Amino acid sequence: MDRSSLLQLIQEQQLDPENTGFIGADTFAGLVHSHELPLDPAKLDMLVALAQSNERGQVCYQELVDLISSKRSSSFKRAIANGQRSLPRDGLLDEPGLGVYKRFVRYVAYEILPCEVDRRWYFYRHRSCPPPVFMASVTLTQIIVFLCYGARLNKWVLQTYHPEYMKSPLVYHPGHRARAWRFLTYMFMHAGLEQLGFNALLQLMIGVPLEMVHGLLRISLLYLAGVLAGSLTVSITDMRAPVVGGSGGVYALCSAHLANVVMNWAGMRCPYKLLRMVLALVCMSSEVGRAVWLRFSPPLPSSGPQPSFMAHLAGAVVGVSMGLTILRSYEERLQDQCGWWVVLLAYGTFLLFAIFWNIFAYDLLGAHIPPPP
């Protein structure tokens, strides 16, 4: 049932003859059943929750239209939250007879979303097309690039110590700052099998479910923002170092998800969440520690500085700020939220500062950068 047919039906039935802006929930539910109109269970639950949030058991006309049109503003979500507190319902875990894919969708809902009504909304609205192609494509490309360079250099661990590695047109190197594409394409190169394995695992375990729930545009924006912030931060704080690996984007996704779990701890229903939180923090901290060790205490002789670890930290900052804003705005318009514009302003200010820094600071400070390969 689309919005136009809903409007026509309401006008024909005169559900709001006095033009009060409110419609009785029982009246509308009876209309749905009498005309056999399709309305999925999640929206029926929300219709009851909206009525529960109103003293007279009525639904605001605009909220009803938003519900049918699958639009969820902040006020709409607050009304749902107020109504669902007294709304008894079974959880998705009690849904019987689900196939393998729908069970996976249910698993994703419980992994990512902190609210039962959001989980039901996602479960009933989810469609398998389009699939989460962004994270899968990025991971596949990184694996292909690594295999190509591994075969070419005949080296699979600590590839950055090979003299030919830094000649790649994808690697960010401070001597090639004018080649702006390198600030992003370095995410396809990795120092070795250990870094690629760690990043690919997190991209598939966390990135794919996040993309399934929040969509390609939001998750790709978050990932690429972390990647770009990583290389720009290195160009400011570790001016002599190159950068490789997708850790900026990976840490943006992971830190956003972990922060969202912590802030909605009571509502999250993923199993063993405390243990998994500890393990994730230990693994992420160990990867940062390994990067610090390789940067300042290289185990092998090298012709220049090793890749910086600052991209990891920059990605985490992007995740806690921009990422958390995105994840807390499930099915809401980001442009309607003041916090989103504050985050964008802060990120844009950082980008402008980093651009001017890369243009002028290296010469003004007399930075001694290694010669480009």
Side-chain angles (χ1 to χ4, degrees), residues 52-197:
Q52 291 279 351
S53 66
N54 183 274
E55 294 180 355
R56 298 184 178 181
Q58 295 177 321
V59 178
C60 174
Y61 174 76
Q62 185 58 50
E63 289 176 348
L64 178 58
V65 172
D66 289 344
L67 173 63
I68 303 304
S69 303
S70 296
K71 297 178 181 178
R72 303 177 70 191
S73 63
S74 298
S75 59
F76 177 91
K77 200 168 184 180
R78 282 195 298 270
I80 290 293
N82 292 333
Q84 69 160 341
R85 292 193 184 99
S86 59
L87 181 64
R89 70 163 65 86
D90 295 330
L92 280 181
L93 291 176
D94 301 317
E95 290 281 346
L98 297 179
V100 175
Y101 183 73
K102 291 301 288 185
R103 286 201 297 268
F104 176 68
V105 172
R106 181 177 62 183
Y107 164 80
V108 169
Y110 276 92
E111 285 290 312
I112 303 300
L113 296 170
C115 176
E116 182 66 25
V117 71
D118 284 343
R119 290 190 282 261
R120 294 177 68 86
W121 177 276
Y122 167 74
F123 180 80
Y124 289 111
R125 288 189 65 245
H126 175 77
R127 300 293 181 267
S128 58
C129 186
V133 294
F134 176 75
M135 293 311 310
S137 300
V138 168
T139 304
L140 181 60
T141 304
Q142 291 171 340
I143 293 174
I144 292 175
V145 170
F146 176 78
L147 292 176
C148 291
Y149 276 89
R152 176 184 173 186
L153 304 176
N154 194 25
K155 191 174 182 65
W156 305 96
V157 179
L158 299 178
Q159 289 183 345
T160 53
Y161 290 89
H162 196 286
E164 297 295 317
Y165 182 86
M166 289 297 172
K167 295 182 180 180
S168 169
L170 302 178
V171 173
Y172 166 80
H173 189 281
H176 290 308
R177 298 190 315 282
R179 302 175 182 178
W181 70 83
R182 291 174 178 254
F183 285 91
L184 284 175
T185 57
Y186 78 91
M187 71 180 186
F188 297 116
M189 302 290 291
H190 286 81
L193 186 61
E194 68 288 348
Q195 186 187 25
L196 173 66

Side-chain angles (χ1 to χ4, degrees), residues 34-52:
S34 62
H35 286 75
E36 298 182 352
L37 298 175
L39 195 64
D40 65 50
K43 291 184 178 179
L44 286 173
D45 282 345
M46 289 190 173
L47 178 64
V48 179
L50 286 170
Q52 291 279 351

